[in-house]
Amino acid sequence: MSSGTDTHAFQADVARLLHLMVHSIYSDRDIFLRELISNAADACEKLRYEAVSNADLMSDGAAPAIRISIDKPGKTLTIEDNGIGMSRDDLVQALGTIANSGTRAFLEKMSPAADAVEDREIDGGGGSAAKLIGQFGIGFYSAFMVADRVDVQTRRAGENEAWNWSSDGKGSYTIAPLDLDSAPARGTRVVLHMNEQSQDYLESWRLQSIVKEHSGAVSVPVELKDDDAAEPRRIVEGSAIWLKSRGDISENDYKEFYRGFAGQFDEPAMTVHWKAEGRYEYTVLAFVPGSRPMDLFDPARKGRTKLYVRSVLITADSDLLPGWLRFFRVLVDSADLPLNVSREMIQNSPVFGAIRKAIVNRLVQELGKTADSDPEGFAKIWENFGPVLKEGLYEDPERRDQLFKIGRFVTSTHPDGGRSLAQYVADLRPNQTAIYYLTGEDAKNLAISPQLEGFRARGVEVLLLADPVDAFWVSTAVGYDGKPFRSVTQGAADIKLIPMADGKEAPSSEAPSAEVATLIAFIKQTIGEAIEDARPSDRLSSSAACLVASDKGPDRRLAQILAQHGQLPAEAKPVLEINPTHPLVTALAARLRGGESKTLIEDAAWLIHDEARLMDGEKLADVGAFSARLTRVLQAAAG
Ligand code: ADP
Ligand code: MG
């Protein structure tokens, strides 16, 4: 090792990550090329940005370019750019540590497999791991899938020193100073010493087809230089796709560009491309991914909204979109923003604010259009991103009505989902004045809730809301189309005036028999503190009892969520509703009047209460007492 060479250990996680990548991702090795080309293109864009305030950096007049060179005898493949380059510190930061949250999430995702990987042969599938790489922005390390050793020779634009980073990807890397003569004039040269299994990447036809397929829409030209050729050939033209007119862009161009830009391996579920020419001029290219990005619910996740000013990349994670549109991948290029001020100042400018607002508006409109014109396609978008969009319902009340138009719901009468609120309202039953909903953790459990029975018997549709965000928006939204939202687990059911679906007369809870009234009073007294009240129910038909929230305060689900966070107001106890015509209830009432042992009826009261709690997805606080009561009652029944 020459003097001045430092050896560094990778941060522990990196070594594990490299091991994982090399051993579990075999089927899609091609992607290393795309990752390195996209890094080279990023470096060129960073240089363009810095050159805005420091023109000297590009004073040599060399246009940004990426060159791939093949050296068959030397068994190396080199990817070189004349972009920003890296200082020594940059190298340590960028290629020696993995500190961003996405990478941590990646490792967590992979960690169950991490131990197994030691003794497992190469995971033939591999595809899913490959999918993760791009999404977590750790693309550089994919080089070790094809190379035994990677050298990174780099010189930061404007600096008078150059460095050689080198690693076999097994646990450490070295950094040594590099002669300026053998370094790029500026930028980075990544030299891959191809491993045995990867020699076929040294064929130019193979490289060309991979580059065209995976990097065809990159914003910097790509050249390929073969061993024996004197001059490189340009294989990708490298013009900004978003500035072309739509007619000149093929479906496939959009798709390729989307993959590189969004770090996704799927196809976009929606592509929108427009040029605004009113008060401000700007171009927008936006995609909805075909599947959920891994980090969709990671609070620290960085956006992928690129902001360009006159084709200079200002930032790759602009705060263009509100959180509830974070699944979009958006690129904006504007001529109306100032180019010579800081990123922050650009994003704080009133012009940016106006553009931002117009874009959000348009994107929501476009979602609405797709919902109308392509219900099936939209169903997928909603399935993936509905829970995120619904955050907008309480975060952004101004957009609520717009969002209500595109919302699609699973309901008690449409268990496969896809119901819009407009459809719901069009199908209201006679005398129905509210939009009924039930919130919970799991749509399947919701569908069998006893609280729904009376609604079902009347043919009343109930929205089944199973996302955590639902409990919040639904309790703050005033209503839709003049109809208030009402929880089926809150207050008196209020459905007496709605006719039964089978045309028969509704069972009445109005005046239960004196016997049943006495039983209900007895139950209330027995349960005592744990409930606010016990009362006869309108909403039950086949179940004996259920719990509902009192008329005031949050509904059952929201009360549960608040209680978990220690925020439940003390008065929010549930009401136990009893089905006055249920055979169990009438039989117990008769026994109570007949002077039956109080213990049996007390046990029954508690068991009815506990069962209602279980049906609500709650845990029993005192399993011992529950079990003792159940045994006593069964014994009495058996005896
Ligand atoms: P990402 O591109 O998502 O940041 P990578 O693992 O692909 O993740 O690259 C890590 C970092 O290494 C980049 O963010 C960049 O700072 C640096 N880097 C990689 N390749 C180059 C290059 N050709 N020129 C300059 N910097 C580079
Ligand atoms: Mg990268």
Side-chain angles (χ1 to χ4, degrees), residues 11-175:
Q11 186 188 316
D13 280 349
V14 179
R16 194 161 63 118
L17 178 70
L18 292 176
H19 184 86
L20 264 170
M21 299 231 338
V22 178
H23 288 85
S24 63
I25 305 150
Y26 246 59
S27 63
D28 206 3
R29 283 183 305 166
D30 290 3
I31 61 135
F32 81 92
L33 204 52
R34 190 196 73 184
E35 294 299 328
L36 296 180
I37 290 175
S38 91
N39 285 350
D42 289 349
C44 293
E45 300 209 300
K46 283 179 195 161
L47 177 65
R48 243 185 249 160
Y49 176 73
E50 290 202 5
V52 170
S53 49
N54 182 3
D56 286 350
L57 293 180
M58 288 181 81
S59 55
D60 64 0
I66 300 168
R67 179 178 300 177
I68 304 172
S69 331
I70 301 172
D71 175 2
K72 260 194 208 156
K75 298 186 178 173
T76 63
L77 187 65
T78 300
I79 291 105
E80 176 167 353
D81 65 71
N82 57 2
I84 191 73
M86 284 178 273
S87 67
R88 191 177 182 286
D89 285 351
D90 291 339
L91 276 172
V92 173
Q93 267 300 315
L95 303 185
T97 58
I98 298 192
N100 65 58
S101 67
T103 312
R104 234 176 295 130
F106 175 89
L107 285 168
E108 273 156 26
K109 188 91 197 157
M110 295 301 289
S111 58
D115 305 326
V117 124
E118 303 296 341
D119 17 68
R120 197 180 43 179
E121 270 308 290
I122 290 158
D123 155 31
S128 68
K131 268 182 203 155
L132 292 175
I133 297 171
Q135 290 172 4
F136 288 100
I138 46 177
F140 173 78
Y141 299 96
S142 63
F144 290 103
M145 295 191 299
V146 295
D148 293 327
R149 168 160 296 280
V150 177
D151 297 326
V152 179
Q153 303 165 357
T154 184
R155 176 172 176 182
R156 194 164 199 302
E159 285 189 9
N160 277 326
E161 45 187 32
W163 301 95
N164 185 40
W165 180 101
S166 182
S167 175
D168 61 2
K170 295 230 170 69
S172 65
Y173 60 90
T174 59
I175 297 184

Side-chain angles (χ1 to χ4, degrees), residues 447-528:
I448 55 168
S449 291
Q451 285 97 337
L452 288 180
E453 289 168 4
F455 293 85
R456 196 162 269 147
R458 289 171 176 78
V460 175
E461 184 170 14
V462 177
L463 306 178
L464 303 179
L465 305 175
D467 290 315
V469 296
D470 289 325
F472 294 95
W473 68 259
V474 83
S475 62
T476 53
V478 192
Y480 170 82
D481 196 12
K483 317 283 180 299
F485 291 103
R486 291 214 48 180
S487 167
V488 304
T489 66
Q490 184 172 35
D494 232 7
I495 49 176
K496 289 189 218 65
L497 296 176
I498 304 175
M500 297 297 277
D502 59 10
K504 293 203 183 114
E505 204 186 316
S508 170
S509 65
E510 216 89 291
S513 67
E515 241 173 50
V516 168
T518 312
L519 175 73
I520 292 176
F522 179 86
I523 293 175
K524 180 179 175 185
Q525 202 195 355
T526 306
I527 310 292

